[in-house]
Amino acid sequence: MYDVAKIRADFPILSREVNGKPLTYLDNGASAQKPSVVIDAVNRAYAEEYSNVHRGLHYLSNLATEKYESVRGKIARFLNAPHEDTIVLNSGTTEGINLVSYGWAAPRFEAGDEIILSVMEHHANIVPWHFLRERQGVVLKWVDTAPDGSLDPQAVIDAITPKTKLIAITQCSNVLGTIVDVKSICTGARDKGVPVLVDGSQGAVHMPVDVQDIDCDFYAITGHKLYGPSGSGAIYIRPERMAEMRPFMGGGDMIKDVSKDTVTYNEPPMKFEAGTPGIVQTIGLGVALDYMMNVGMENIAAHEADLRSYAQQRLTGLNWINLQGTAAGKAAIFSFTLDGAAHAHDISTILDKKGVAVRAGHHCAGPLMEHLGVTATCRASFGMYNTKAEVDTLIDALELAHELFA
Amino acid sequence: MASAAFEEIVEDFEFLDDWEDRYRHVIDLGKSMEALDEALKVEATKVHGCASQVWLHPVIEGGKFRFDGDSDAMIVRGLIAVLRMLYNDVPVAEVMGVDAKAELGRLGLNDHLSAQRSNGVRSMIERIRMVAGENA
């Protein structure tokens, strides 16, 4: 039995009011709220356990290092990675994908080499590849979504040519909620010797992830969407790929020895973690993952599937709403526009007055907006603590917006 | 003291108690405002720093300031209509003396001027003051 009331009670911010109305937080796709255990862990880390990591030999440094390093193992368990040394800790998916672009792809790709992307990628999984296009003449090849927002894995595999060096693809669209069958893509890509990077920013939040089952080469996650602190995250990297990577950023922690004429690097994954990391953020992320795993990823996925069905049914019932993305089995992420004069920003302004937080804009997905032929949409994105009553609140607020702008 | 047109709208707003009615009124003002000529929707008239698209076309004639404007968002169109009532036909030399924040506050709309709001009202006022300053 999924006790959503109990879960809600764990997130203090959910009991506050906004504009005199109870908060209905449906902007989880942008960032999720934090449970008390995470907030308390962050507080405790600073109040009682704080020091730099991997450096001192004193009590607090050992304590902080132990707490921080234990998160690597938690992330490995969360993603079912084969070993904690396959996990590079970082500030989030953006840093993870940039690491792969600079550290692995840049020294290996030549002009004319191809990277395959889906048209629904987030800018974080586009711009690091644009750098290679601009600087090295790498070619970006785009695979379109079907009208319902689904992506045929075979279309991605069919786009592979002898020039293809990488497939970089999301597991779950942040705009449409489409779930991509990344496992089938990896299977097809493996047959043709093409590595696959999976952007797990949204996917890892909404379903159990097993990187060994998916058989991807890279899987990037971001902590603040996983009910953890902002500035935390990680990327799983297949050991063979990690061995091929050169360091991205240089500094402390990633070295063994430095002299005037030489530098030798630390062993992976530390080789890719320069400077003092987000110590407390990472500790908080570990607590957030424990929280999610305690509730159970299957249970979270089932609850959100229930919310998705209900929200989809209610939204489809409004004949003045244009839903973008209705792919089967999608996540509880809904993008839409309204008939009439209302701009996405108009709608979100009215919803905000009703205490309903949604995002309005291009959602960092320019190519998808172009593909859909819209400049902006409203997006309601649900999380583990949302309820059917909140779907009703959203619908009521939308009815008011529709009436105001009709 | 703002223009007579603006004082009239202040009177209208005095009868509107809740936010819903005030927004309804702003939206109606936006709906009834004439659209800016498409030929004037160019880079030079575009106001940056807005979440939606906003254009502002100022004209100075006979020592008086006025502007036309437009946006693809309806609430912003309504706010443009309000700003036109506030600024249009004000002598150029007096534009800098208009306290837009205080005047919009009289309508209960000053939350549109807070730092987080990116709907462009603040950017529009800055543009108006800049143009007036250059021509004063």
Side-chain angles (χ1 to χ4, degrees):
Chain A
M1 169 68 188
Y2 193 88
D3 191 347
V4 72
K6 184 170 173 290
I7 289 169
R8 290 183 69 80
D10 289 336
F11 290 75
I13 205 168
L14 296 180
S15 59
R16 71 158 288 169
E17 291 192 342
V18 164
N19 288 322
K21 302 283 191 305
L23 169 65
T24 302
Y25 189 76
L26 302 179
D27 196 18
N28 298 285
S31 202
Q33 302 297 348
K34 322 302 173 198
S36 295
V37 284
V38 169
I39 299 166
D40 294 346
V42 167
N43 196 46
R44 191 171 53 247
Y46 278 126
E48 298 170 25
E49 300 160 351
Y50 186 76
S51 176
N52 211 328
V53 292
H54 304 141
R55 285 163 171 80
L57 292 171
H58 56 81
Y59 178 85
L60 281 179
S61 184
N62 285 333
L63 181 61
T65 302
E66 202 177 295
K67 292 256 173 189
Y68 174 81
E69 276 300 326
S70 73
V71 179
R72 209 183 291 278
K74 283 179 191 177
I75 294 168
R77 279 197 297 286
F78 182 70
L79 298 176
N80 195 35
H83 193 277
E84 64 178 48
D85 287 347
T86 60
I87 303 297
V88 174
L89 299 171
N90 56 33
S91 62
T93 295
T94 299
E95 185 180 340
I97 297 177
N98 275 279
L99 166 68
V100 177
S101 174
Y102 282 91
W104 182 76
R108 309 168 62 80
F109 291 14
E110 292 169 1
D113 284 347
E114 295 168 356
I115 300 173
I116 297 172
L117 305 163
S118 90
V119 77
M120 62 185 163
E121 297 311 312
H122 185 282
H123 292 165
N125 194 26
I126 296 175
V127 183
W129 313 121
H130 264 309
F131 286 164
L132 302 188
R133 180 193 58 76
E134 281 184 340
R135 296 167 190 175
Q136 302 177 211
V138 168
V139 176
L140 306 187
K141 287 184 69 176
W142 300 90
V143 180
D144 280 344
T145 49
D148 69 350
S150 62
L151 184 76
D152 178 7
Q154 193 57 44
V156 178
I157 296 161
D158 289 345
I160 296 173
T161 74
K163 288 274 191 187
T164 305
K165 287 284 161 44
L166 177 71
I167 295 169
I169 197 140
T170 186
Q171 189 179 25
C172 173
S173 162
N174 70 311
V175 179
L176 305 174
T178 304
I179 303 292
V180 177
D181 180 1
V182 288
K183 185 180 174 180
S184 292
I185 291 171
C186 288
T187 304
R190 180 100 12 244
D191 290 344
K192 300 185 181 184
V194 177
V196 179
L197 176 142
V198 178
D199 174 352
S201 283
Q202 302 285 343
V205 183
H206 303 296
M207 62 184 129
V209 170
D210 183 334
V211 293
Q212 297 185 78
D213 180 55
I214 294 170
D215 203 18
C216 54
D217 295 85
F218 308 94
Y219 190 100
I221 59 170
T222 209
H224 70 91
K225 294 189 205 289
L226 292 161
Y227 309 98
S230 58
S232 65
I235 184 165
Y236 157 78
I237 303 177
R238 188 194 293 279
E240 296 94 297
R241 296 289 90 72
M242 209 182 292
E244 293 167 350
M245 282 168 57
R246 70 178 182 190
F248 166 26
M249 287 202 288
D253 242 23
M254 53 79 73
I255 48 86
K256 247 186 207 141
D257 285 301
V258 180
S259 71
K260 283 179 179 166
D261 301 317
T262 61
V263 53
T264 51
Y265 303 120
N266 211 331
E267 296 300 322
M270 301 265 295
K271 185 179 178 181
F272 307 106
E273 298 173 357
T276 295
I279 299 165
V280 175
Q281 295 94 314
T282 302
I283 291 170
L285 172 58
V287 176
L289 296 182
D290 281 342
Y291 182 84
M292 290 181 85
M293 289 189 280
N294 280 338
V295 174
M297 290 309 295
E298 284 87 0
N299 299 331
I300 293 171
H303 171 70
E304 291 182 6
D306 204 26
L307 280 176
R308 179 210 58 221
S309 304
Y310 182 65
Q312 190 146 2
Q313 173 219 322
R314 291 232 49 197
L315 288 163
T316 318
L318 309 173
N319 60 10
W320 36 265
I321 204 162
N322 311 302
L323 263 187
Q324 300 282 1
T326 52
K330 66 176 252 172
I333 297 174
F334 297 93
S335 271
F336 52 84
T337 53
L338 302 194
D339 285 348
H343 187 278
H345 294 118
D346 289 325
I347 302 164
S348 76
T349 302
I350 299 303
L351 264 47
D352 180 50
K353 285 285 184 185
K354 288 288 193 182
V356 181
V358 297
R359 175 141 177 218
H362 55 53
H363 314 296
C364 298
L368 179 64
M369 294 288 117
E370 202 180 313
H371 177 66
L372 297 173
V374 295
T375 52
T377 69
C378 265
R379 178 188 68 184
S381 50
F382 293 77
M384 67 186 292
Y385 39 59
N386 289 121
T387 65
K388 287 184 182 173
E390 290 182 303
V391 175
D392 294 336
T393 304
L394 168 70
I395 300 290
D396 289 349
L398 284 172
E399 278 172 343
L400 173 65
H402 171 62
E403 187 234 316
L404 284 172
F405 295 105
Chain B
M1 187 68 182
S3 70
F6 189 79
E7 289 305 325
E8 222 168 274
I9 197 174
V10 170
E11 270 179 45
D12 292 344
F13 269 78
E14 274 167 11
F15 293 101
L16 307 174
D17 299 329
D18 65 358
W19 71 266
E20 210 175 300
D21 289 335
R22 283 199 298 276
Y23 270 68
R24 207 180 287 275
H25 201 64
V26 169
I27 291 162
D28 285 344
L29 289 170
K31 282 181 185 166
S32 56
M33 187 178 78
E34 65 202 67
L36 185 67
D37 189 343
E38 283 298 319
L40 291 173
K41 291 183 182 176
V42 293
E43 187 56 30
T45 59
K46 193 153 184 179
V47 181
H48 293 279
C50 315
S52 52
Q53 299 202 82
V54 176
W55 297 270
L56 194 152
H57 175 63
V59 179
I60 292 169
E61 259 172 14
K64 286 188 173 176
F65 178 88
R66 52 178 285 272
F67 77 95
D68 298 319
D70 212 339
S71 170
D72 55 355
M74 196 50 72
I75 294 173
V76 178
R77 271 182 70 86
L79 292 167
I80 290 170
V82 170
L83 286 177
R84 288 178 76 198
M85 289 177 206
L86 183 61
Y87 282 107
N88 279 9
D89 295 324
V90 170
V92 182
E94 291 173 25
V95 165
M96 297 298 261
V98 175
D99 185 347
K101 190 172 182 179
E103 299 292 349
L104 288 176
R106 294 168 69 199
L107 303 179
L109 295 174
N110 49 348
D111 59 336
H112 285 284
L113 284 164
S114 68
Q116 296 90 332
R117 289 281 171 190
S118 50
N119 61 28
V121 173
R122 185 189 285 254
S123 304
M124 278 190 281
I125 291 169
E126 278 167 15
R127 176 73 68 92
I128 288 165
R129 292 172 67 86
M130 192 185 81
V131 171
E134 284 166 0
N135 291 278

